[in-house]
Amino acid sequence: MAFKPQPMSSTRFDEITALCKRRGFVFQSSEIYGGLGATYDYGPLGVELKRNVREQWWRDMVYANKNIEGIDAAILMHPKVWKASGHVDAFHDPLIDDKASKRRYRADQLIEQHIDRLRSKGKTERADTVQKRFTEALNAEDMPKALHSLILSEEIRGPDSGAFDWTDVRQFNMMFETKVGALAGEDSSIYLRPETAQGIFVNFQNVLATSRVQIPFGIAQIGKAFRNEIVARQFIFRMREFEQMEMQYFVQPGTQLEAYELWRSRRWDWHVRNGIPASKLRWHVHEKPAHYADAAVDIQYEFPIGWQEIEGIHSRTDYDLSRHQEYSGKKMQIFDQASGSRFIPYVVETSAGLDRTVLMLLCEAYRKDVVEGRSRTVMAFAPSVAPIKVGVFPLLRKDGMPERARAITDALRCEWNVFYDEKGSIGKRYRRMDEAGAPLCITIDRDTLEGEGVTVRNRDTLEQVRVADDQVPAFVSDAMRGAA
Ligand code: ATP
């Protein structure tokens, strides 16, 4: 059988987004009312994919480490949290409008893309000069003005219009504000959390007091975050409501860079284990880490829309805990028995976007190939994240084949997400499962009825093997764990 995978470079982002809608991975939110910008819903396949990613992360971060505990904090928090964290005063994006296309962009990203373009054209010296000026602009007292002059002097054009007609750069606060309670005169403003990290910081002493962890230890959380993203045009890459998978690792001051190196490599390896080739990942060191961080790096993935961040690893010093100590008046120090000292721990954070990880897996899995002269679309997910693990088909809708197929489906269903399908030709049923990314398909045919077992077809190799009925659960189990 001919199996000719096409290179990923031929993949188009719009094909992937169309498949997401067609096959029920992702829908536009409130679509019947024309949709709500940068807000999406997950359909039956998408929700499974997302759940699998979430579970993989939790297993790797919480269950696999005896010194990491999980929490699930509320989305609404005391407003002082965001004063202390600095979000009220400084959670801004520098935005610029292209007057010709009326589109809005992040000024810093326009410059970064310009530098990338110069490098890809081999203009290294010029790229280095612009990079240096960019760093200076980010550190300038009037950062918006400095970014604006750099865009003008580099003659960076509007990505959509090609025009050179910019407004000034302005800063926008990205937190969603809402009201609690109804008493007039009371300050009832409150924010939807823009990150999950602060829920961990404010619970740091609670976790310490109620679990057996000792420094160094981590607290992990997966949950929703909200940002009023102004530039939001890239499907689930940038949403106003999204999920983060964050872990804050509390360490002795002075050991933070060691922990930072440890988590850099652990997080990189996790993405590779989920089926992302290392060649499609790269590090992006922050030119200007936040003022409280002493090291910060992003892991970027090469999306069809270019290299983009999926996760940040940040060494945040004792900034957050010190600020909460100051604003709440509560002690954030701990007593370390081993060293006999009292101190505010330093923190290394790993912060990954759940939705961005899902989008990365969708982009990476998407393939078009030709089998026996007919083209097919395949989502080549790693078995661990595949939304449907097995498709089960009776070859014919008679002679007891559906009953046998249903019995096998039921035997697998308690452990795996299985899809039973008896409609259409067997070829069409395979194609449907290929598009959903099911690693295995099981067919019940006449030979099955005569005790010859079932046919199991592998999505990627197209190999077909016969497996005895009673061996099917073990076979599937091995395949899902990568042993078959
Ligand atoms: P970006 O520069 O792309 O806006 P960020 O540096 O502000 O991202 P962080 O605050 O470090 O992002 O958040 C950690 C992770 O949360 C990011 O790596 C990303 O995967 C995810 N994330 C952030 N903003 C969004 C969003 N609007 N939609 C989806 N995921 C997001």
Side-chain angles (χ1 to χ4, degrees):
M1 245 183 239
F3 179 73
K4 294 185 199 144
Q6 287 188 348
M8 268 304 281
S9 56
S10 67
T11 306
R12 291 214 322 271
F13 200 57
D14 50 1
E15 285 178 5
I16 296 169
T17 56
L19 179 131
C20 281
K21 173 158 193 225
R22 191 173 75 245
R23 289 312 316 262
F25 282 96
V26 179
F27 306 123
Q28 175 79 58
S29 160
S30 327
E31 195 180 2
I32 59 167
Y33 291 101
L36 179 68
T39 318
Y40 292 89
D41 300 337
Y42 286 87
L45 289 183
V47 74
E48 290 298 327
L49 177 58
K50 193 171 165 189
R51 273 172 54 93
N52 292 339
V53 174
R54 194 188 274 124
E55 267 169 33
Q56 293 295 325
W57 187 90
W58 196 261
R59 202 169 296 141
D60 198 64
M61 299 301 275
V62 182
Y63 300 161
N65 298 289
K66 64 178 187 315
N67 63 344
I68 299 186
E69 299 287 336
I71 62 161
D72 184 11
I75 286 168
L76 301 177
M77 301 182 76
H78 195 289
K80 271 198 186 164
V81 167
W82 307 111
K83 262 284 184 203
S85 68
H87 283 80
V88 171
D89 296 323
F91 194 52
H92 296 117
D93 262 356
L95 299 176
I96 187 166
D97 290 13
D98 172 4
K99 291 189 212 155
S101 66
K102 307 225 175 333
R103 294 206 142 185
R104 192 161 280 176
Y105 302 91
R106 284 234 327 245
D108 54 330
Q109 286 181 349
L110 284 177
I111 299 168
E112 277 178 346
Q113 284 154 10
H114 174 64
I115 295 170
D116 275 353
R117 269 196 305 276
L118 290 174
R119 290 205 194 287
S120 65
K121 286 183 190 157
K123 300 182 179 173
T124 315
E125 218 169 290
R126 172 103 187 278
D128 289 345
T129 312
V130 182
Q131 181 72 61
K132 191 162 162 275
R133 289 184 58 204
F134 179 43
T135 310
E136 284 162 8
L138 289 173
N139 287 305
E141 202 152 300
D142 191 346
M143 188 249 271
K145 196 164 172 210
L147 291 176
H148 185 247
S149 358
L150 188 53
I151 288 174
L152 294 193
S153 68
E154 282 302 305
E155 295 186 18
I156 298 174
R157 295 184 166 267
D160 296 286
S161 67
F164 185 57
D165 195 6
W166 296 110
T167 61
D168 287 342
V169 174
R170 281 165 298 167
Q171 297 274 47
F172 281 83
N173 191 298
M174 297 163 69
M175 282 200 293
F176 279 105
E177 197 174 335
T178 183
K179 302 274 175 201
V180 281
L183 286 186
E186 254 193 10
D187 183 6
S188 55
S189 276
I190 191 166
Y191 300 101
L192 302 186
R193 68 180 177 198
E195 62 174 30
T196 52
Q198 298 304 325
I200 294 179
F201 294 129
V202 300
N203 276 298
F204 145 79
Q205 293 286 29
N206 287 335
V207 173
L208 197 60
T210 53
S211 52
R212 283 276 166 122
V213 287
Q214 280 184 348
I215 204 150
F217 70 94
I219 305 178
Q221 170 166 229
I222 300 177
K224 291 255 177 177
F226 302 81
R227 295 183 186 177
N228 194 2
E229 298 278 4
I230 310 296
V231 182
R233 283 189 291 273
Q234 292 155 326
F235 194 45
I236 58 170
F237 178 80
R238 190 174 296 286
M239 298 197 280
R240 298 201 167 105
E241 175 181 342
F242 59 97
E243 269 184 82
Q244 290 184 312
M245 306 184 286
E246 291 200 310
M247 193 276 300
Q248 311 293 329
Y249 199 65
F250 301 87
V251 301
Q252 286 251 14
T255 62
Q256 71 273 17
L257 293 180
E258 212 177 292
Y260 173 74
E261 289 306 326
L262 166 80
W263 286 106
R264 270 177 68 138
S265 80
R266 285 279 306 267
R267 295 305 305 146
W268 176 283
D269 291 348
W270 184 77
H271 293 292
V272 173
R273 281 206 304 281
N274 280 343
I276 307 299
S279 60
K280 300 282 286 292
L281 296 172
R282 74 177 185 190
W283 298 110
H284 175 255
V285 178
H286 284 212
E287 276 309 316
K288 186 195 170 203
H291 59 94
Y292 50 83
D294 61 3
V297 73
D298 298 332
I299 299 178
Q300 293 186 334
Y301 169 72
E302 191 177 18
F303 286 95
I305 49 172
W307 288 96
Q308 302 279 356
E309 168 181 345
I310 46 161
E311 169 153 9
I313 295 115
H314 311 128
S315 175
R316 295 175 76 121
T317 68
D318 59 355
Y319 174 81
D320 301 272
L321 293 180
S322 300
R323 294 276 291 193
H324 286 306
Q325 176 164 296
E326 185 188 334
Y327 278 72
S328 68
K330 301 282 181 326
K331 283 260 174 293
M332 291 289 155
Q333 288 179 327
I334 63 169
F335 178 68
D336 179 36
Q337 282 179 339
S339 62
S341 57
R342 199 174 287 282
F343 54 84
I344 297 181
Y346 270 40
V347 173
V348 172
E349 152 182 279
T350 70
S351 175
L354 174 51
D355 312 87
R356 277 194 199 172
T357 305
V358 165
L359 182 61
M360 168 173 73
L361 291 170
L362 285 163
C363 293
E364 191 55 41
Y366 183 78
R367 307 261 192 290
K368 277 173 141 184
D369 61 32
V370 178
V371 179
E372 291 176 340
R374 291 183 57 193
S375 68
R376 68 167 185 164
T377 304
V378 195
M379 297 305 282
F381 295 119
S384 55
V385 295
I388 295 175
K389 308 295 186 195
V390 190
V392 184
F393 321 139
L395 182 63
L396 302 172
R397 266 197 276 181
K398 57 181 188 183
D399 301 338
M401 291 184 211
E403 289 73 14
R404 288 290 281 275
R406 283 213 178 86
I408 288 181
T409 307
D410 289 344
L412 294 173
R413 213 193 277 288
C414 48
E415 200 168 348
W416 311 107
N417 191 27
V418 185
F419 189 82
Y420 173 84
D421 190 4
E422 56 177 30
K423 295 206 186 82
S425 71
I426 203 80
K428 278 207 180 113
R429 284 182 258 171
Y430 278 146
R431 297 289 179 278
R432 271 202 290 270
M433 284 298 96
D434 287 343
E435 272 197 340
L440 298 177
C441 287
I442 294 177
T443 305
I444 285 74
D445 55 21
R446 276 194 204 293
D447 293 342
T448 316
L449 304 180
E450 274 154 33
E452 296 292 317
V454 300
T455 305
V456 185
R457 176 247 204 195
N458 181 301
R459 174 198 68 200
D460 301 329
T461 61
L462 299 172
E463 220 173 32
Q464 303 203 3
V465 292
R466 282 206 90 88
V467 176
D469 290 30
D470 60 351
Q471 293 301 310
V472 169
F475 184 92
V476 170
S477 204
D478 284 350
M480 293 309 129
R481 297 192 171 100

